[in-house]
Amino acid sequence: MQLDLICQRDNTVYMDITKTVLLLVDVQNDFCPGGALAVQDGDGIIAPLNRLAAAFAAAGGRVAATQDWHPQGHFSFASSHTDKKPGDIITLASREQVLWPDHCVQGESGSAFHSGLDLTPINMIIRKGFRKDLDSYSAFFENDRITPTGLAGWIQGLGIETIIIGGLATDYCVLYSAMDSQRLGFNTVIIEDAVRGVNYPAGSVEKAIAEMRAANIRFADSAQLLQELC
């Protein structure tokens, strides 16, 4: 993958941090251990994300973060449907929807960023999924695939070329965000040690990774990316 290159020294290629955004996807209490929709080892992504975000801030780079921000009774909650349970799949407006436990309810503790995440470097926070009858996995579009969250406009206005993504969960919000990033024409990189998956249904994490690789999305660990930033 061609990244925004500005220098090469000692056979190491560097990214232009002024044309790169670090995107932190849904690092929220409800997706971390002890939360309503906990991802196994979800809090294991926080240390590498904090290191990268600090490096971005030190170099004048930009960091964005997303939050699931659902109202009470959101239609993606199994509790909003008679005789349904978490994990069931329904069809509404010709879209399949996995039903989840109530999670990331606006203003409640589960919707807050994990306390271990350093918020200081974050320049932009995008809240998504706040429409009662429309879910949102992607950081860029609601699940109707039409309604924008506003993130793309902010990033495009900055002249950004590369988006580096970490967060939760690999097989849902990270996948959708990465695929939209690539579709919008950005060089897209997944921080492989700073994502974790739900793996529902079984095998969905492997399927998501294969789909992203097939779309020419790059995978790199945080240590490698720290070396490439300049």
Side-chain angles (χ1 to χ4, degrees):
M1 171 181 290
Q2 179 64 39
L3 298 174
D4 6 350
L5 309 180
I6 60 171
C7 52
Q8 183 167 352
R9 300 191 301 271
D10 302 325
N11 296 317
T12 301
V13 175
Y14 295 86
M15 287 184 286
D16 183 351
I17 200 167
T18 67
K19 295 182 180 179
T20 305
V21 161
L22 175 63
L23 175 59
L24 316 181
V25 176
D26 297 357
V27 189
Q28 294 168 263
N29 288 330
D30 268 346
F31 297 130
C32 291
L37 187 47
V39 176
Q40 184 175 1
D41 191 35
D43 53 356
I45 69 173
I46 293 172
L49 289 181
N50 281 344
R51 287 191 293 269
L52 276 168
F56 267 73
R62 295 175 177 88
V63 181
T66 65
Q67 278 180 296
D68 253 12
W69 195 250
H70 298 313
Q72 291 279 359
H74 192 261
F75 96 110
S76 71
F77 298 165
S79 63
S80 299
H81 304 271
T82 304
D83 298 326
K84 297 295 182 183
K85 62 183 183 302
D88 286 349
I89 298 175
I90 63 171
T91 300
L92 185 66
S94 301
R95 294 188 300 274
E96 281 195 350
Q97 173 67 49
V98 178
L99 297 180
W100 305 108
D102 291 22
H103 66 280
C104 297
V105 175
Q106 296 174 8
E108 295 189 1
S109 59
S111 65
F113 289 113
H114 190 283
S115 61
L117 184 69
D118 183 6
L119 304 182
T120 306
I122 296 174
N123 307 107
M124 170 66 78
I125 295 173
I126 293 288
R127 287 174 169 170
K128 58 189 180 65
F130 55 82
R131 296 171 175 85
K132 194 168 187 176
D133 60 350
L134 185 59
D135 207 0
S136 182
Y137 295 152
S138 172
F140 296 94
F141 294 97
E142 306 284 358
N143 280 6
D144 61 359
R145 316 305 297 139
I146 298 171
T147 306
T149 64
L151 180 62
W154 179 71
I155 289 176
Q156 288 164 340
L158 296 172
I160 296 299
E161 296 177 2
T162 297
I163 300 178
I164 300 175
I165 300 174
L168 304 169
T170 308
D171 39 348
Y172 285 93
C173 295
V174 169
L175 168 65
Y176 277 69
S177 298
M179 295 299 286
D180 279 344
S181 172
Q182 192 79 345
R183 180 170 60 85
L184 290 167
F186 299 109
N187 299 318
T188 306
V189 184
I190 298 295
I191 314 164
E192 57 189 352
D193 58 329
V195 291
R196 300 290 189 277
V198 176
N199 203 35
Y200 183 85
S204 61
V205 171
E206 292 80 3
K207 181 180 178 181
I209 291 171
E211 186 175 348
M212 288 187 280
R213 290 190 186 278
N216 294 319
I217 292 168
R218 180 189 170 204
F219 284 71
D221 66 34
S222 57
Q224 179 183 354
L225 291 170
L226 282 169
Q227 289 182 340
E228 293 179 6
L229 293 171
C230 124

